Amino acid sequence: MSQVDCSRQGEVLAHELGVISVFGGNARLVSSVGSVLDRTARAASGFGAIAAVLGIAGGFMLRRNNFQEPDPALGGIDPVPNVARAARLDVVQNNGLAFGGNNAIAVLGRVA
């Protein structure tokens, strides 16, 4: 997995601990398109998917806004803090986690 987009700014620790439990202790790039877009509510997952496709095609990752310092519990997670960066993304997981348990995950990838 090249990148995981947690899409919402809240519950960051819970989302990223989930990433660690699924992918292990290896460093993962974890960004949050929701922190850039603010409150788009149900549209955030769609915008996250668009950002993932643009990032795969354009070779970049969006930043996570307003990042202060990492939580020590996150280990090797790279939160892509405050500044977008160049990156070759082959596979991106877009988490759409919403109120009331309306959750979906889209895994998008580069065409071989």
Side-chain angles (χ1 to χ4, degrees):
M1 189 65 58
S2 301
Q3 176 201 2
V4 177
D5 172 29
C6 287
S7 78
R8 289 187 55 203
Q9 194 164 348
E11 299 97 29
V12 171
L13 180 60
H15 290 184
E16 294 180 358
L17 288 175
V19 169
I20 290 170
S21 72
V22 170
F23 296 110
N26 298 328
R28 301 281 174 217
L29 297 168
V30 179
S31 63
S32 177
V33 172
S35 72
V36 176
L37 298 174
D38 196 27
R39 298 198 177 271
T40 57
R42 289 174 178 81
S45 296
F47 289 138
I50 292 168
V53 169
L54 291 173
I56 291 168
F60 70 92
M61 292 185 58
L62 287 177
R63 69 193 179 274
R64 173 172 294 173
N65 278 358
N66 304 315
F67 191 83
Q68 300 290 323
E69 61 183 74
D71 188 310
L74 296 179
I77 293 285
D78 179 349
V80 191
N82 301 315
V83 178
R85 77 168 73 138
R88 177 176 168 86
L89 303 175
D90 294 316
V91 179
V92 175
Q93 176 178 316
N94 180 43
N95 294 339
L97 309 175
F99 303 110
N102 297 313
N103 302 320
I105 296 174
V107 177
L108 306 160
R110 180 180 302 280
V111 176

Coordinates of all heavy atoms in Angstrom, one line a residue:
M1 N 0.8 -1.2 0.0 CA 0.0 0.0 0.0 C 0.9 1.2 0.0 O 1.7 1.4 0.9 CB -0.9 0.0 1.3 CG -2.0 1.0 1.3 SD -3.2 0.8 0.0 CE -3.8 -0.8 0.3
S2 N 0.7 2.1 -1.0 CA 1.6 3.3 -1.1 C 1.1 4.4 -0.1 O 1.9 5.1 0.5 CB 1.5 3.9 -2.5 OG 1.9 3.0 -3.4
Q3 N -0.2 4.5 0.1 CA -0.8 5.6 0.9 C -2.1 5.2 1.4 O -2.8 4.4 0.8 CB -0.9 6.9 0.1 CG -1.6 8.0 0.9 CD -2.2 9.1 0.0 OE1 -2.2 9.0 -1.2 NE2 -2.7 10.1 0.6
V4 N -2.5 5.7 2.6 CA -3.8 5.5 3.2 C -4.3 6.9 3.4 O -3.7 7.7 4.1 CB -3.8 4.7 4.5 CG1 -5.2 4.6 5.1 CG2 -3.2 3.3 4.2
D5 N -5.6 7.2 3.0 CA -6.2 8.5 3.2 C -7.3 8.2 4.2 O -8.2 7.5 4.0 CB -6.8 9.1 1.9 CG -7.6 10.3 2.2 OD1 -7.3 11.0 3.2 OD2 -8.6 10.5 1.5
C6 N -7.1 8.8 5.4 CA -8.1 8.7 6.5 C -9.3 9.6 6.4 O -10.2 9.5 7.1 CB -7.4 8.8 7.9 SG -6.4 7.4 8.3
S7 N -9.3 10.5 5.5 CA -10.3 11.4 5.0 C -10.9 12.3 6.0 O -11.4 13.4 5.7 CB -11.4 10.6 4.3 OG -12.3 9.9 5.2
R8 N -10.9 12.0 7.3 CA -11.4 12.9 8.3 C -10.3 13.3 9.3 O -9.4 12.6 9.5 CB -12.5 12.2 9.1 CG -13.8 12.0 8.3 CD -14.9 11.5 9.2 NE -15.1 12.4 10.3 CZ -15.7 12.0 11.4 NH1 -16.1 10.7 11.5 NH2 -15.9 12.8 12.4
Q9 N -10.5 14.5 9.8 CA -9.4 15.0 10.7 C -9.6 14.5 12.1 O -8.7 14.2 12.8 CB -9.5 16.6 10.7 CG -8.3 17.2 11.3 CD -8.2 18.7 11.0 OE1 -8.9 19.2 10.2 NE2 -7.3 19.3 11.7
G10 N -10.8 14.2 12.5 CA -11.1 13.7 13.8 C -10.8 12.2 13.9 O -10.6 11.5 12.9
E11 N -10.7 11.7 15.1 CA -10.4 10.3 15.3 C -9.1 9.8 14.6 O -9.0 8.7 14.2 CB -11.5 9.4 14.9 CG -12.8 9.6 15.6 CD -13.8 10.5 14.8 OE1 -13.7 10.5 13.6 OE2 -14.6 11.2 15.4
V12 N -8.1 10.7 14.5 CA -6.9 10.4 13.8 C -6.2 9.2 14.4 O -5.8 8.2 13.8 CB -6.0 11.6 13.7 CG1 -4.6 11.2 13.1 CG2 -6.6 12.6 12.8
L13 N -6.1 9.2 15.7 CA -5.4 8.1 16.4 C -6.1 6.8 16.2 O -5.4 5.8 15.9 CB -5.3 8.4 17.9 CG -4.6 7.4 18.8 CD1 -3.1 7.2 18.3 CD2 -4.6 7.7 20.2
A14 N -7.4 6.7 16.3 CA -8.1 5.5 16.0 C -7.9 5.0 14.6 O -7.6 3.8 14.4 CB -9.6 5.7 16.3
H15 N -8.0 5.9 13.6 CA -7.8 5.5 12.2 C -6.4 4.9 12.0 O -6.2 3.9 11.4 CB -8.0 6.6 11.3 CG -9.4 7.1 11.2 ND1 -9.8 8.1 10.4 CD2 -10.5 6.7 11.9 CE1 -11.1 8.3 10.5 NE2 -11.5 7.5 11.4
E16 N -5.4 5.6 12.5 CA -4.0 5.2 12.3 C -3.6 4.0 13.1 O -2.8 3.2 12.6 CB -3.1 6.4 12.5 CG -3.4 7.5 11.4 CD -2.6 8.7 11.4 OE1 -1.7 8.9 12.3 OE2 -2.8 9.6 10.6
L17 N -4.1 3.8 14.2 CA -3.9 2.6 15.0 C -4.5 1.4 14.2 O -3.9 0.3 14.2 CB -4.4 2.6 16.4 CG -3.7 3.5 17.3 CD1 -4.4 3.6 18.7 CD2 -2.2 3.1 17.5
G18 N -5.6 1.6 13.5 CA -6.2 0.6 12.6 C -5.3 0.3 11.5 O -5.1 -0.9 11.1
V19 N -4.6 1.3 10.9 CA -3.7 1.1 9.8 C -2.5 0.2 10.3 O -2.1 -0.7 9.6 CB -3.2 2.5 9.2 CG1 -2.0 2.3 8.3 CG2 -4.3 3.2 8.5
I20 N -2.0 0.5 11.5 CA -0.9 -0.2 12.0 C -1.3 -1.7 12.3 O -0.6 -2.6 12.0 CB -0.4 0.4 13.4 CG1 0.3 1.7 13.0 CG2 0.5 -0.5 14.1 CD1 0.6 2.5 14.3
S21 N -2.6 -1.9 12.8 CA -3.0 -3.3 13.1 C -3.2 -4.1 11.8 O -3.0 -5.3 11.8 CB -4.3 -3.3 13.9 OG -5.4 -2.9 13.1
V22 N -3.5 -3.4 10.7 CA -3.7 -4.1 9.4 C -2.4 -4.3 8.7 O -2.1 -5.4 8.2 CB -4.7 -3.4 8.5 CG1 -4.8 -4.0 7.1 CG2 -6.1 -3.4 9.1
F23 N -1.6 -3.3 8.6 CA -0.4 -3.3 7.8 C 0.9 -3.6 8.6 O 2.0 -3.6 8.0 CB -0.2 -2.0 7.0 CG -1.4 -1.8 6.0 CD1 -2.3 -0.8 6.2 CD2 -1.4 -2.6 4.9 CE1 -3.3 -0.7 5.3 CE2 -2.5 -2.5 3.9 CZ -3.4 -1.5 4.2
G24 N 0.8 -3.7 9.9 CA 2.0 -3.9 10.7 C 2.7 -2.6 11.0 O 2.2 -1.5 10.8
G25 N 3.9 -2.8 11.6 CA 4.7 -1.7 12.1 C 5.5 -0.9 11.0 O 6.2 0.0 11.4
N26 N 5.4 -1.3 9.8 CA 6.1 -0.6 8.7 C 5.6 0.8 8.6 O 4.4 1.1 8.7 CB 6.0 -1.3 7.4 CG 6.6 -2.7 7.5 OD1 7.5 -3.0 8.2 ND2 6.0 -3.7 6.7
A27 N 6.5 1.7 8.2 CA 6.1 3.1 8.0 C 5.1 3.2 6.8 O 5.3 2.5 5.8 CB 7.3 4.0 7.7
R28 N 4.0 3.9 7.0 CA 3.0 4.1 6.0 C 2.8 5.6 5.9 O 2.8 6.3 6.8 CB 1.7 3.4 6.4 CG 1.8 2.0 6.6 CD 1.8 1.2 5.3 NE 2.0 -0.2 5.6 CZ 2.8 -1.0 4.8 NH1 3.3 -0.5 3.8 NH2 3.0 -2.2 5.2
L29 N 2.5 6.0 4.6 CA 2.1 7.4 4.4 C 0.6 7.5 4.6 O -0.2 6.8 4.0 CB 2.5 7.8 3.0 CG 3.9 7.7 2.6 CD1 4.1 7.8 1.1 CD2 4.7 8.8 3.3
V30 N 0.2 8.3 5.6 CA -1.2 8.4 6.0 C -1.5 9.9 5.9 O -1.0 10.7 6.7 CB -1.5 7.9 7.4 CG1 -2.9 8.0 7.7 CG2 -1.1 6.4 7.4
S31 N -2.4 10.3 5.0 CA -2.8 11.7 4.9 C -4.2 11.8 5.2 O -4.9 10.8 5.5 CB -2.5 12.2 3.5 OG -3.2 11.5 2.5
S32 N -4.7 13.0 5.2 CA -6.2 13.3 5.4 C -6.7 14.4 4.5 O -6.5 15.6 4.8 CB -6.4 13.7 6.9 OG -7.7 14.0 7.1
V33 N -7.3 14.0 3.4 CA -7.9 15.0 2.5 C -8.9 15.8 3.2 O -9.1 17.0 3.0 CB -8.5 14.3 1.3 CG1 -9.2 15.2 0.4 CG2 -7.4 13.6 0.5
G34 N -9.6 15.2 4.2 CA -10.7 15.9 4.9 C -10.1 17.1 5.6 O -10.8 18.1 5.8
S35 N -8.9 17.0 6.1 CA -8.3 18.2 6.8 C -8.1 19.4 5.8 O -8.0 20.5 6.3 CB -7.0 17.8 7.5 OG -6.0 17.6 6.6
V36 N -7.9 19.1 4.6 CA -7.7 20.1 3.6 C -9.0 20.7 3.1 O -9.2 21.9 2.9 CB -6.9 19.6 2.4 CG1 -6.7 20.6 1.3 CG2 -5.5 19.1 2.8
L37 N -10.0 19.8 2.9 CA -11.3 20.2 2.4 C -12.3 20.8 3.4 O -13.3 21.3 3.0 CB -12.0 19.0 1.7 CG -11.2 18.4 0.5 CD1 -11.9 17.2 0.0 CD2 -11.1 19.5 -0.6
D38 N -12.0 20.6 4.6 CA -12.9 21.0 5.7 C -14.2 20.2 5.7 O -14.1 19.0 5.5 CB -13.2 22.5 5.7 CG -13.8 23.1 7.0 OD1 -13.5 22.5 8.0 OD2 -14.5 24.1 7.0
R39 N -15.3 20.7 5.9 CA -16.5 20.0 6.2 C -17.3 19.8 4.9 O -18.3 20.5 4.6 CB -17.4 20.7 7.2 CG -16.7 20.8 8.5 CD -17.7 21.1 9.6 NE -17.0 21.1 10.9 CZ -16.8 20.1 11.7 NH1 -17.3 18.9 11.3 NH2 -16.2 20.2 12.8
T40 N -17.0 18.8 4.1 CA -17.7 18.4 2.9 C -18.7 17.3 3.2 O -19.4 16.8 2.3 CB -16.8 18.0 1.8 OG1 -16.0 17.0 2.2 CG2 -15.9 19.2 1.4
A41 N -18.7 16.8 4.5 CA -19.6 15.7 4.9 C -19.6 14.5 4.0 O -18.5 13.9 3.8 CB -21.0 16.3 5.1
R42 N -20.7 14.1 3.4 CA -20.8 12.9 2.7 C -19.9 12.9 1.4 O -19.6 11.9 0.8 CB -22.2 12.6 2.4 CG -22.9 12.1 3.6 CD -24.4 11.9 3.3 NE -25.1 11.4 4.5 CZ -25.5 12.2 5.5 NH1 -25.2 13.5 5.5 NH2 -26.1 11.6 6.6
A43 N -19.6 14.1 0.9 CA -18.8 14.2 -0.3 C -17.3 14.0 -0.1 O -16.6 13.8 -1.0 CB -19.0 15.6 -0.9
A44 N -16.9 13.9 1.2 CA -15.5 13.8 1.5 C -14.9 12.6 0.9 O -13.7 12.6 0.4 CB -15.2 13.9 3.0
S45 N -15.6 11.4 0.9 CA -15.0 10.2 0.4 C -14.8 10.3 -1.1 O -13.9 9.8 -1.7 CB -15.9 9.0 0.7 OG -16.0 8.8 2.1
G46 N -15.8 10.9 -1.8 CA -15.7 11.1 -3.3 C -14.5 12.0 -3.6 O -13.7 11.7 -4.5
F47 N -14.3 13.1 -2.8 CA -13.2 14.0 -3.0 C -11.9 13.2 -2.7 O -10.9 13.5 -3.4 CB -13.3 15.2 -2.2 CG -14.3 16.2 -2.6 CD1 -15.2 16.8 -1.7 CD2 -14.5 16.5 -4.0 CE1 -16.1 17.7 -2.1 CE2 -15.5 17.4 -4.4 CZ -16.3 18.0 -3.4
G48 N -11.9 12.4 -1.7 CA -10.7 11.6 -1.4 C -10.3 10.7 -2.5 O -9.2 10.5 -2.8
A49 N -11.3 10.1 -3.2 CA -11.1 9.2 -4.3 C -10.5 10.0 -5.5 O -9.6 9.5 -6.1 CB -12.3 8.5 -4.7
I50 N -11.0 11.2 -5.7 CA -10.5 12.0 -6.8 C -9.0 12.4 -6.5 O -8.2 12.3 -7.3 CB -11.4 13.3 -6.9 CG1 -12.7 12.9 -7.5 CG2 -10.7 14.3 -7.8 CD1 -13.8 14.0 -7.5
A51 N -8.8 12.8 -5.2 CA -7.4 13.1 -4.8 C -6.5 11.9 -5.0 O -5.3 12.1 -5.4 CB -7.4 13.6 -3.4
A52 N -7.0 10.7 -4.7 CA -6.1 9.5 -4.8 C -5.8 9.3 -6.3 O -4.6 9.0 -6.6 CB -6.9 8.3 -4.3
V53 N -6.7 9.4 -7.2 CA -6.5 9.2 -8.6 C -5.5 10.3 -9.1 O -4.6 10.0 -9.9 CB -7.8 9.2 -9.4 CG1 -7.5 9.2 -10.9 CG2 -8.6 7.9 -9.0
L54 N -5.7 11.5 -8.7 CA -4.9 12.6 -9.2 C -3.4 12.4 -8.6 O -2.5 12.7 -9.3 CB -5.4 14.0 -8.7 CG -6.7 14.4 -9.5 CD1 -7.2 15.7 -8.8 CD2 -6.4 14.6 -11.0
G55 N -3.3 11.9 -7.4 CA -2.0 11.7 -6.8 C -1.3 10.6 -7.5 O -0.1 10.6 -7.7
I56 N -2.0 9.5 -7.8 CA -1.4 8.4 -8.6 C -0.9 8.9 -9.9 O 0.2 8.6 -10.3 CB -2.4 7.2 -8.7 CG1 -2.7 6.5 -7.4 CG2 -1.9 6.2 -9.7 CD1 -3.8 5.6 -7.3
A57 N -1.8 9.6 -10.6 CA -1.4 10.1 -12.0 C -0.3 11.2 -11.9 O 0.6 11.2 -12.8 CB -2.6 10.6 -12.7
G58 N -0.4 12.0 -10.9 CA 0.5 13.2 -10.9 C 1.7 13.0 -10.0 O 2.6 13.9 -10.0
G59 N 1.8 11.9 -9.3 CA 3.0 11.7 -8.4 C 3.1 12.6 -7.2 O 4.2 13.1 -7.0
F60 N 2.0 12.8 -6.5 CA 2.1 13.6 -5.3 C 1.1 13.2 -4.3 O 0.2 12.4 -4.6 CB 1.8 15.1 -5.7 CG 0.3 15.4 -6.0 CD1 -0.6 15.7 -5.1 CD2 -0.1 15.2 -7.3 CE1 -1.9 15.9 -5.4 CE2 -1.4 15.4 -7.7 CZ -2.4 15.8 -6.7
M61 N 1.3 13.6 -3.1 CA 0.4 13.4 -1.9 C -0.1 14.7 -1.3 O 0.7 15.6 -1.1 CB 1.1 12.6 -0.8 CG 1.4 11.2 -1.2 SD 2.1 10.3 0.2 CE 0.8 10.5 1.4
L62 N -1.4 14.8 -1.1 CA -1.9 16.0 -0.4 C -1.4 15.9 1.1 O -1.1 14.9 1.6 CB -3.4 16.0 -0.4 CG -4.0 16.3 -1.7 CD1 -5.5 16.3 -1.5 CD2 -3.6 17.7 -2.1
R63 N -1.3 17.1 1.7 CA -0.9 17.2 3.0 C -2.0 17.0 4.0 O -3.2 17.0 3.7 CB -0.3 18.6 3.3 CG -1.4 19.7 3.2 CD -0.9 21.1 3.1 NE -1.9 22.0 3.0 CZ -2.6 22.4 1.9 NH1 -2.2 21.9 0.7 NH2 -3.5 23.3 1.9
R64 N -1.6 16.9 5.3 CA -2.6 16.9 6.4 C -2.4 18.3 7.0 O -1.3 18.6 7.5 CB -2.3 15.8 7.4 CG -3.1 16.0 8.6 CD -3.0 14.8 9.6 NE -3.5 13.6 8.9 CZ -3.4 12.4 9.3 NH1 -2.8 12.2 10.5 NH2 -3.9 11.4 8.7
N65 N -3.4 19.0 7.0 CA -3.4 20.4 7.6 C -3.3 20.4 9.1 O -3.8 19.5 9.7 CB -4.6 21.2 7.1 CG -4.5 21.8 5.8 OD1 -3.5 21.6 5.1 ND2 -5.6 22.4 5.3
N66 N -2.8 21.5 9.6 CA -2.8 21.8 11.0 C -2.1 20.8 11.9 O -2.5 20.5 13.0 CB -4.2 22.1 11.5 CG -4.8 23.2 10.7 OD1 -4.2 24.2 10.4 ND2 -6.1 23.0 10.3
F67 N -1.1 20.1 11.3 CA -0.5 19.0 12.1 C 0.5 19.6 13.0 O 1.4 20.4 12.7 CB 0.2 18.0 11.1 CG 0.7 16.8 11.8 CD1 -0.2 15.8 12.0 CD2 2.0 16.7 12.3 CE1 0.2 14.6 12.6 CE2 2.4 15.5 12.9 CZ 1.5 14.5 13.1
Q68 N 0.5 19.2 14.3 CA 1.4 19.8 15.3 C 2.6 18.8 15.6 O 3.7 19.2 15.3 CB 0.7 20.0 16.6 CG -0.5 21.0 16.5 CD 0.0 22.4 16.3 OE1 1.0 22.8 16.9 NE2 -0.7 23.1 15.5
E69 N 2.3 17.6 16.1 CA 3.4 16.7 16.4 C 2.8 15.3 16.4 O 1.6 15.1 16.8 CB 4.1 17.0 17.7 CG 3.3 17.0 18.9 CD 4.1 17.3 20.1 OE1 4.4 18.5 20.3 OE2 4.4 16.4 20.9
P70 N 3.5 14.3 16.0 CA 2.9 12.9 16.0 C 2.7 12.3 17.4 O 3.5 12.7 18.3 CB 4.0 12.1 15.3 CG 5.3 12.9 15.4 CD 4.9 14.3 15.5
D71 N 1.7 11.5 17.5 CA 1.5 10.8 18.8 C 2.5 9.6 18.8 O 2.6 8.9 17.9 CB 0.0 10.2 18.7 CG -0.4 9.7 20.1 OD1 0.4 8.8 20.6 OD2 -1.5 10.0 20.6
P72 N 3.2 9.5 19.9 CA 4.2 8.4 20.0 C 3.6 7.0 19.8 O 4.3 6.1 19.4 CB 4.7 8.5 21.5 CG 4.3 9.9 21.9 CD 3.1 10.3 21.1
A73 N 2.3 6.8 20.0 CA 1.6 5.5 19.8 C 1.6 5.1 18.3 O 1.3 4.0 18.0 CB 0.2 5.6 20.4
L74 N 1.8 6.1 17.4 CA 1.7 5.8 16.0 C 3.0 5.2 15.4 O 3.0 4.9 14.2 CB 1.3 7.1 15.3 CG 0.0 7.7 15.6 CD1 -0.3 8.9 14.9 CD2 -1.1 6.6 15.4
G75 N 4.0 5.1 16.1 CA 5.2 4.4 15.6 C 5.7 4.9 14.3 O 6.0 6.1 14.2
G76 N 5.7 4.1 13.3 CA 6.3 4.5 12.0 C 5.3 5.1 11.0 O 5.7 5.3 9.8
I77 N 4.2 5.6 11.5 CA 3.3 6.3 10.6 C 3.8 7.6 10.1 O 4.3 8.4 11.0 CB 1.9 6.5 11.3 CG1 1.2 5.2 11.5 CG2 1.0 7.4 10.5 CD1 0.6 4.5 10.3
D78 N 3.8 7.9 8.9 CA 4.2 9.2 8.3 C 3.0 10.0 8.0 O 2.3 9.6 7.0 CB 5.1 9.0 7.1 CG 5.6 10.3 6.5 OD1 5.1 11.4 6.8 OD2 6.4 10.2 5.6
P79 N 2.6 11.0 8.7 CA 1.4 11.7 8.5 C 1.4 12.8 7.4 O 0.4 13.4 7.2 CB 1.2 12.4 9.9 CG 2.5 12.7 10.3 CD 3.4 11.5 9.9
V80 N 2.4 12.9 6.6 CA 2.5 13.9 5.6 C 2.1 15.3 6.1 O 1.1 15.8 5.7 CB 1.7 13.5 4.3 CG1 2.0 14.4 3.1 CG2 1.9 12.1 3.9
P81 N 2.8 15.8 7.1 CA 2.3 17.0 7.8 C 2.5 18.3 7.0 O 3.6 18.6 6.5 CB 3.2 17.0 9.0 CG 4.5 16.3 8.6 CD 4.0 15.3 7.6
N82 N 1.4 19.0 6.9 CA 1.4 20.5 6.5 C 1.9 20.8 5.1 O 1.6 21.9 4.7 CB 2.1 21.3 7.5 CG 1.5 21.1 8.9 OD1 0.3 21.1 9.1 ND2 2.4 20.9 9.9
V83 N 2.6 20.0 4.4 CA 3.1 20.3 3.1 C 2.9 19.1 2.2 O 3.3 18.0 2.5 CB 4.6 20.7 3.1 CG1 5.2 21.0 1.8 CG2 4.9 21.8 4.1
A84 N 2.3 19.3 1.0 CA 2.2 18.2 0.0 C 3.6 17.8 -0.4 O 4.5 18.6 -0.3 CB 1.4 18.7 -1.2
R85 N 3.7 16.6 -0.9 CA 5.0 16.1 -1.3 C 4.9 15.2 -2.5 O 3.9 14.6 -2.8 CB 5.7 15.4 -0.2 CG 5.3 14.0 0.1 CD 6.2 13.3 1.0 NE 6.1 13.8 2.4 CZ 6.1 13.1 3.4 NH1 6.3 11.8 3.3 NH2 6.0 13.6 4.6
A86 N 6.0 15.2 -3.3 CA 6.1 14.3 -4.4 C 6.2 12.9 -3.9 O 6.9 12.6 -2.9 CB 7.3 14.6 -5.3
A87 N 5.6 11.9 -4.6 CA 5.6 10.5 -4.2 C 5.1 9.7 -5.3 O 4.1 10.1 -6.0 CB 4.8 10.3 -2.9
R88 N 5.7 8.6 -5.6 CA 5.2 7.6 -6.5 C 4.2 6.7 -5.8 O 4.5 6.0 -4.9 CB 6.2 6.7 -7.2 CG 5.6 5.7 -8.1 CD 6.7 4.9 -8.8 NE 6.0 3.7 -9.5 CZ 5.5 3.8 -10.7 NH1 5.5 4.9 -11.4 NH2 5.0 2.7 -11.2
L89 N 2.9 6.9 -6.1 CA 1.8 6.1 -5.5 C 1.4 5.1 -6.5 O 0.9 5.4 -7.5 CB 0.7 7.1 -5.1 CG 1.0 8.3 -4.2 CD1 -0.2 9.1 -4.0 CD2 1.6 7.8 -2.9
D90 N 1.5 3.8 -6.1 CA 1.0 2.7 -6.9 C -0.4 2.3 -6.5 O -1.2 1.9 -7.3 CB 2.0 1.6 -6.9 CG 3.3 1.9 -7.5 OD1 3.3 2.6 -8.6 OD2 4.4 1.6 -7.0
V91 N -0.6 2.2 -5.2 CA -1.9 1.8 -4.6 C -2.3 2.7 -3.5 O -1.4 3.0 -2.6 CB -1.8 0.3 -4.1 CG1 -3.2 -0.1 -3.6 CG2 -1.4 -0.6 -5.2
V92 N -3.5 3.3 -3.5 CA -3.9 4.2 -2.5 C -5.2 3.6 -1.9 O -6.2 3.2 -2.6 CB -4.2 5.6 -3.0 CG1 -4.8 6.5 -1.9 CG2 -2.9 6.2 -3.5
Q93 N -5.3 3.6 -0.6 CA -6.5 3.1 0.1 C -7.2 4.4 0.6 O -6.7 5.2 1.3 CB -6.2 2.3 1.3 CG -7.4 1.9 2.1 CD -7.0 1.0 3.3 OE1 -6.2 0.0 3.1 NE2 -7.6 1.2 4.5
N94 N -8.5 4.6 0.2 CA -9.3 5.8 0.5 C -10.4 5.3 1.5 O -11.3 4.6 1.1 CB -9.9 6.4 -0.7 CG -10.8 7.6 -0.4 OD1 -10.4 8.4 0.5 ND2 -11.9 7.7 -1.0
N95 N -10.2 5.7 2.8 CA -11.2 5.3 3.8 C -12.3 6.4 3.8 O -12.1 7.6 4.1 CB -10.5 5.3 5.2 CG -9.5 4.2 5.2 OD1 -9.5 3.2 4.5 ND2 -8.6 4.3 6.2
G96 N -13.5 5.9 3.7 CA -14.7 6.8 3.8 C -15.4 6.4 5.0 O -16.3 5.5 5.0
L97 N -15.1 7.0 6.2 CA -15.7 6.6 7.5 C -16.7 7.7 7.9 O -16.2 8.8 8.1 CB -14.6 6.4 8.5 CG -13.5 5.4 8.0 CD1 -12.4 5.4 9.0 CD2 -14.0 4.0 7.7
A98 N -17.9 7.4 8.0 CA -18.9 8.4 8.2 C -19.7 8.2 9.5 O -19.6 7.1 10.2 CB -19.9 8.4 7.0
F99 N -20.6 9.1 9.8 CA -21.4 9.0 11.0 C -22.4 7.9 10.8 O -22.8 7.5 9.8 CB -22.2 10.3 11.1 CG -21.4 11.6 11.2 CD1 -21.4 12.5 10.2 CD2 -20.6 11.8 12.4 CE1 -20.6 13.6 10.3 CE2 -19.8 12.9 12.4 CZ -19.8 13.8 11.4
G100 N -22.7 7.2 11.9 CA -23.7 6.2 11.9 C -23.2 4.9 11.3 O -24.1 4.0 11.0
G101 N -21.9 4.7 11.1 CA -21.4 3.4 10.6 C -21.6 3.2 9.1 O -21.5 2.1 8.6
N102 N -21.8 4.3 8.4 CA -21.8 4.3 6.9 C -20.4 4.3 6.4 O -19.9 5.4 6.0 CB -22.7 5.4 6.3 CG -24.1 5.3 6.8 OD1 -24.7 4.2 6.7 ND2 -24.7 6.4 7.3
N103 N -19.7 3.2 6.3 CA -18.3 3.2 6.0 C -18.0 2.4 4.7 O -18.7 1.4 4.4 CB -17.5 2.5 7.2 CG -17.8 3.2 8.5 OD1 -17.8 4.5 8.5 ND2 -17.9 2.5 9.5
A104 N -17.0 2.9 4.0 CA -16.6 2.2 2.8 C -15.1 2.5 2.6 O -14.6 3.5 3.0 CB -17.4 2.7 1.6
I105 N -14.4 1.5 2.0 CA -13.0 1.7 1.7 C -12.8 1.4 0.2 O -13.3 0.3 -0.3 CB -12.1 0.7 2.5 CG1 -12.3 1.1 4.0 CG2 -10.7 0.8 2.1 CD1 -11.5 0.2 4.9
A106 N -12.2 2.3 -0.5 CA -11.9 2.1 -1.9 C -10.4 2.0 -2.1 O -9.6 2.8 -1.5 CB -12.4 3.2 -2.8
V107 N -9.9 0.9 -2.8 CA -8.5 0.7 -3.0 C -8.3 1.0 -4.5 O -8.9 0.3 -5.4 CB -8.0 -0.7 -2.7 CG1 -6.6 -0.9 -3.0 CG2 -8.2 -0.9 -1.2
L108 N -7.5 2.0 -4.8 CA -7.3 2.5 -6.2 C -5.8 2.3 -6.5 O -5.0 2.5 -5.7 CB -7.7 4.0 -6.3 CG -9.1 4.3 -5.8 CD1 -9.3 5.7 -5.5 CD2 -10.1 3.8 -6.9
G109 N -5.6 1.9 -7.8 CA -4.2 1.7 -8.1 C -3.8 2.1 -9.5 O -4.7 2.4 -10.4
R110 N -2.5 2.1 -9.8 CA -1.9 2.5 -11.1 C -2.2 1.3 -12.0 O -2.1 0.1 -11.6 CB -0.4 2.7 -10.9 CG 0.3 3.0 -12.1 CD 1.8 3.2 -11.8 NE 2.0 4.3 -10.8 CZ 2.0 5.6 -11.1 NH1 1.8 6.0 -12.3 NH2 2.2 6.4 -10.1
V111 N -2.5 1.6 -13.3 CA -2.7 0.6 -14.3 C -1.4 0.1 -14.7 O -0.4 0.8 -15.0 CB -3.5 1.1 -15.5 CG1 -3.6 0.1 -16.6 CG2 -4.8 1.7 -15.1
A112 N -1.2 -1.3 -14.7 CA 0.1 -1.9 -15.0 C 0.4 -1.8 -16.5 O -0.5 -1.8 -17.3 CB 0.1 -3.3 -14.6

